[in-house]
Amino acid sequence: MSEQSESATTSTAEPTPPPPPWLIVGLGNRGFVFKGTRHNVGFEMVDKIADAEGISVSTRSFKSLLGEGHIGNIPVMLCKPQTFMNASGQSVGAIVSYYKIPLKQVLLIYDDLDLPFAKLRLLSKGGHGGHNGMKSVIHHLGGRREFHRLRIGIGRPSGTIEAFNFVLRLFSNQESEELEFTFQKGVEAVRILLSEGFDRSATFANSTKPVDHIC
């Protein structure tokens, strides 16, 4: 092949497409009346990640509020579905399909009644555990469950309080202060997940040690 032909071939080569971003989704209910409730800690965690990384979550698309940016050098898309909790999968399924995001690059963040208050649990797959938002997500992903999930413990109601009413309650001032440390740890766990992988992040997130004691 002549130099001219080789040059022409090189110049018409297709550019390598950029890798799909990580999709980080916080589950919650839209509207002021639900702001700060236990069921909305997924939204709050996404807001903390956005603040820490300088990402604006303000674009309305796919029935969600979206923000695009980077954590380190990893492209990410932050998502807060605006469909109400039990239809969250409409947004997640559409975004995953449109951007062709592998499920191993999807992280769902949501509240969990079965975890002690303010505790984190990072898992690489699993079921919905009775959580309506997660039921919707799994349904709209065609039953597939092999995506990461970061569960945030909100504790169990005491006495005769129904779980439905409990998850829509506001946190006390003391609980809100304690949650700030949980959110700080969650932000760092997400950074580790993207940069160092699931095992290292799960060790960090699932540890009961205080944040400042973990190296």
Side-chain angles (χ1 to χ4, degrees):
M1 181 182 294
S2 67
E3 289 186 9
Q4 184 176 359
S5 298
E6 185 174 357
S7 175
T9 301
T10 303
S11 64
T12 59
E14 290 291 331
T16 302
W22 270 78
L23 176 63
I24 301 173
V25 183
L27 298 185
N29 284 305
R30 62 182 174 87
F32 181 80
V33 68
F34 298 107
K35 185 176 176 62
T37 61
R38 296 171 188 273
H39 219 20
N40 270 34
V41 290
F43 274 11
E44 290 195 55
M45 180 66 85
V46 165
D47 287 339
K48 297 296 182 182
I49 296 169
D51 290 344
E53 302 298 338
I55 300 172
S56 174
V57 184
S58 57
T59 300
R60 293 187 176 273
S61 187
F62 296 100
K63 299 181 181 179
S64 293
L65 287 175
L66 296 176
E68 295 186 59
H70 289 79
I71 295 179
N73 62 352
I74 307 296
V76 298
M77 181 177 292
L78 304 182
C79 172
K80 295 164 61 176
Q82 300 293 289
T83 57
F84 288 115
M85 180 72 81
N86 62 3
S88 301
Q90 294 178 17
S91 299
V92 178
I95 294 169
V96 167
S97 175
Y98 183 84
Y99 289 98
K100 297 180 172 57
I101 301 175
L103 290 194
K104 65 181 181 180
Q105 288 178 210
V106 176
L107 173 66
L108 268 288
I109 305 174
Y110 60 101
D111 59 293
D112 193 329
L113 284 164
D114 293 323
L115 272 182
F117 177 75
K119 301 302 181 186
L120 295 176
R121 185 71 69 240
L122 180 65
L123 300 170
S124 61
K125 59 183 178 179
H128 53 69
H131 192 284
N132 287 331
M134 290 297 289
K135 287 180 182 178
S136 176
V137 170
I138 291 171
H139 172 73
H140 284 275
L141 291 177
R144 297 179 64 189
R145 306 180 179 202
E146 60 273 23
F147 52 86
H148 301 299
R149 65 277 317 274
L150 181 62
R151 296 156 47 197
I152 304 172
I154 60 171
R156 276 278 176 187
S158 58
T160 59
I161 302 174
E162 294 286 343
F164 174 80
N165 293 320
F166 179 73
V167 299
L168 297 181
R169 284 191 168 192
L170 296 171
F171 294 106
S172 68
N173 289 338
Q174 181 177 346
E175 287 174 328
S176 294
E177 290 179 7
E178 188 173 349
L179 270 177
E180 283 302 314
F181 292 99
T182 301
F183 291 142
Q184 177 187 348
K185 187 174 184 179
V187 170
E188 188 60 26
V190 171
R191 288 170 173 161
I192 295 171
L193 175 64
L194 271 58
S195 63
E196 302 181 45
F198 172 80
D199 290 343
R200 177 72 179 90
S201 183
T203 298
F204 177 86
N206 301 345
S207 169
T208 58
K209 295 179 181 179
V211 173
D212 58 355
H213 289 174
I214 302 176
C215 58

